[in-house]
PDB file of all heavy atoms in Angstrom:
ATOM      1  N   THR A   3       2.266   4.794   1.058  1.00 95.00           N
ATOM      2  CA  THR A   3       2.339   5.450   2.361  1.00 95.00           C
ATOM      3  C   THR A   3       1.267   6.547   2.532  1.00 95.00           C
ATOM      4  O   THR A   3       1.092   7.367   1.591  1.00 95.00           O
ATOM      5  CB  THR A   3       3.797   6.122   2.479  1.00 95.00           C
ATOM      6  OG1 THR A   3       4.753   5.133   2.397  1.00 95.00           O
ATOM      7  CG2 THR A   3       3.864   6.793   3.942  1.00 95.00           C
ATOM      8  N   LYS A   4       0.599   6.610   3.695  1.00 97.00           N
ATOM      9  CA  LYS A   4      -0.389   7.600   3.996  1.00 97.00           C
ATOM     10  C   LYS A   4       0.163   8.536   4.996  1.00 97.00           C
ATOM     11  O   LYS A   4       0.918   8.194   5.847  1.00 97.00           O
ATOM     12  CB  LYS A   4      -1.633   6.881   4.408  1.00 97.00           C
ATOM     13  CG  LYS A   4      -2.274   5.940   3.312  1.00 97.00           C
ATOM     14  CD  LYS A   4      -3.590   5.322   3.727  1.00 97.00           C
ATOM     15  CE  LYS A   4      -4.079   4.404   2.776  1.00 97.00           C
ATOM     16  NZ  LYS A   4      -4.577   5.003   1.501  1.00 97.00           N
ATOM     17  N   TYR A   5      -0.364   9.795   4.950  1.00 98.00           N
ATOM     18  CA  TYR A   5       0.066  10.862   5.847  1.00 98.00           C
ATOM     19  C   TYR A   5      -1.095  11.379   6.698  1.00 98.00           C
ATOM     20  O   TYR A   5      -2.190  11.762   6.164  1.00 98.00           O
ATOM     21  CB  TYR A   5       0.670  12.070   5.002  1.00 98.00           C
ATOM     22  CG  TYR A   5       1.948  11.594   4.312  1.00 98.00           C
ATOM     23  CD1 TYR A   5       1.970  10.912   3.144  1.00 98.00           C
ATOM     24  CD2 TYR A   5       3.134  11.886   4.983  1.00 98.00           C
ATOM     25  CE1 TYR A   5       3.175  10.536   2.529  1.00 98.00           C
ATOM     26  CE2 TYR A   5       4.350  11.497   4.337  1.00 98.00           C
ATOM     27  CZ  TYR A   5       4.321  10.778   3.142  1.00 98.00           C
ATOM     28  OH  TYR A   5       5.566  10.361   2.558  1.00 98.00           O
ATOM     29  N   ILE A   6      -0.865  11.466   8.030  1.00 98.00           N
ATOM     30  CA  ILE A   6      -1.778  12.123   8.950  1.00 98.00           C
ATOM     31  C   ILE A   6      -1.103  13.226   9.583  1.00 98.00           C
ATOM     32  O   ILE A   6      -0.029  13.132  10.202  1.00 98.00           O
ATOM     33  CB  ILE A   6      -2.174  10.952  10.007  1.00 98.00           C
ATOM     34  CG1 ILE A   6      -2.801   9.810   9.300  1.00 98.00           C
ATOM     35  CG2 ILE A   6      -3.102  11.649  10.983  1.00 98.00           C
ATOM     36  CD1 ILE A   6      -2.909   8.594  10.271  1.00 98.00           C
ATOM     37  N   PHE A   7      -1.661  14.391   9.488  1.00 98.00           N
ATOM     38  CA  PHE A   7      -1.160  15.682   9.984  1.00 98.00           C
ATOM     39  C   PHE A   7      -1.930  16.077  11.355  1.00 98.00           C
ATOM     40  O   PHE A   7      -3.120  16.069  11.255  1.00 98.00           O
ATOM     41  CB  PHE A   7      -1.337  16.751   9.025  1.00 98.00           C
ATOM     42  CG  PHE A   7      -0.518  16.448   7.664  1.00 98.00           C
ATOM     43  CD1 PHE A   7      -1.191  16.208   6.544  1.00 98.00           C
ATOM     44  CD2 PHE A   7       0.894  16.458   7.618  1.00 98.00           C
ATOM     45  CE1 PHE A   7      -0.565  15.963   5.294  1.00 98.00           C
ATOM     46  CE2 PHE A   7       1.543  16.113   6.425  1.00 98.00           C
ATOM     47  CZ  PHE A   7       0.808  15.941   5.338  1.00 98.00           C
ATOM     48  N   ILE A   8      -1.176  16.309  12.383  1.00 98.00           N
ATOM     49  CA  ILE A   8      -1.728  16.635  13.642  1.00 98.00           C
ATOM     50  C   ILE A   8      -1.480  18.059  13.930  1.00 98.00           C
ATOM     51  O   ILE A   8      -0.279  18.527  13.934  1.00 98.00           O
ATOM     52  CB  ILE A   8      -1.155  15.851  14.705  1.00 98.00           C
ATOM     53  CG1 ILE A   8      -1.221  14.324  14.419  1.00 98.00           C
ATOM     54  CG2 ILE A   8      -1.925  16.096  16.036  1.00 98.00           C
ATOM     55  CD1 ILE A   8      -2.558  13.633  14.407  1.00 98.00           C
ATOM     56  N   THR A   9      -2.540  18.966  13.954  1.00 97.00           N
ATOM     57  CA  THR A   9      -2.382  20.389  14.209  1.00 97.00           C
ATOM     58  C   THR A   9      -3.152  20.653  15.537  1.00 97.00           C
ATOM     59  O   THR A   9      -3.896  19.937  16.036  1.00 97.00           O
ATOM     60  CB  THR A   9      -2.923  21.145  13.098  1.00 97.00           C
ATOM     61  OG1 THR A   9      -4.334  20.819  12.757  1.00 97.00           O
ATOM     62  CG2 THR A   9      -2.100  21.032  11.785  1.00 97.00           C
ATOM     63  N   GLY A  10      -2.760  21.862  16.092  1.00 95.00           N
ATOM     64  CA  GLY A  10      -3.444  22.328  17.366  1.00 95.00           C
ATOM     65  C   GLY A  10      -3.965  23.686  17.333  1.00 95.00           C
ATOM     66  O   GLY A  10      -3.296  24.544  16.633  1.00 95.00           O
ATOM     67  N   GLY A  11      -4.935  23.949  18.124  1.00 92.00           N
ATOM     68  CA  GLY A  11      -5.591  25.329  18.141  1.00 92.00           C
ATOM     69  C   GLY A  11      -5.984  25.688  19.537  1.00 92.00           C
ATOM     70  O   GLY A  11      -5.970  24.874  20.445  1.00 92.00           O
ATOM     71  N   VAL A  12      -6.217  27.012  19.684  1.00 90.00           N
ATOM     72  CA  VAL A  12      -6.726  27.499  20.929  1.00 90.00           C
ATOM     73  C   VAL A  12      -5.586  27.851  21.861  1.00 90.00           C
ATOM     74  O   VAL A  12      -5.385  28.941  22.413  1.00 90.00           O
ATOM     75  CB  VAL A  12      -7.842  26.764  21.604  1.00 90.00           C
ATOM     76  CG1 VAL A  12      -8.304  27.496  22.888  1.00 90.00           C
ATOM     77  CG2 VAL A  12      -9.003  26.516  20.694  1.00 90.00           C
ATOM     78  N   ALA A  13      -4.914  26.780  22.254  1.00 89.00           N
ATOM     79  CA  ALA A  13      -3.775  26.976  23.165  1.00 89.00           C
ATOM     80  C   ALA A  13      -2.714  25.941  22.886  1.00 89.00           C
ATOM     81  O   ALA A  13      -2.959  24.913  22.284  1.00 89.00           O
ATOM     82  CB  ALA A  13      -4.312  26.831  24.640  1.00 89.00           C
ATOM     83  N   SER A  14      -1.499  26.223  23.516  1.00 85.00           N
ATOM     84  CA  SER A  14      -0.384  25.261  23.413  1.00 85.00           C
ATOM     85  C   SER A  14      -0.465  24.244  24.471  1.00 85.00           C
ATOM     86  O   SER A  14      -1.317  24.399  25.390  1.00 85.00           O
ATOM     87  CB  SER A  14       0.915  25.960  23.327  1.00 85.00           C
ATOM     88  OG  SER A  14       1.048  26.700  24.545  1.00 85.00           O
ATOM     89  N   SER A  15       0.388  23.285  24.434  1.00 85.00           N
ATOM     90  CA  SER A  15       0.512  22.274  25.485  1.00 85.00           C
ATOM     91  C   SER A  15      -0.783  21.512  25.683  1.00 85.00           C
ATOM     92  O   SER A  15      -1.084  21.092  26.930  1.00 85.00           O
ATOM     93  CB  SER A  15       0.903  22.870  26.829  1.00 85.00           C
ATOM     94  OG  SER A  15       2.166  23.657  26.671  1.00 85.00           O
ATOM     95  N   LEU A  16      -1.541  21.222  24.680  1.00 91.00           N
ATOM     96  CA  LEU A  16      -2.789  20.457  24.872  1.00 91.00           C
ATOM     97  C   LEU A  16      -2.567  18.920  24.708  1.00 91.00           C
ATOM     98  O   LEU A  16      -3.425  18.144  24.968  1.00 91.00           O
ATOM     99  CB  LEU A  16      -3.836  20.857  23.782  1.00 91.00           C
ATOM    100  CG  LEU A  16      -4.355  22.323  23.857  1.00 91.00           C
ATOM    101  CD1 LEU A  16      -5.364  22.525  22.682  1.00 91.00           C
ATOM    102  CD2 LEU A  16      -5.005  22.587  25.100  1.00 91.00           C
TER     103      LEU A  16
END
Side-chain angles (χ1 to χ4, degrees):
T3 302
K4 297 178 183 291
Y5 290 85
I6 301 170
F7 301 109
I8 312 288
T9 56
V12 181
S14 59
S15 302
L16 295 181

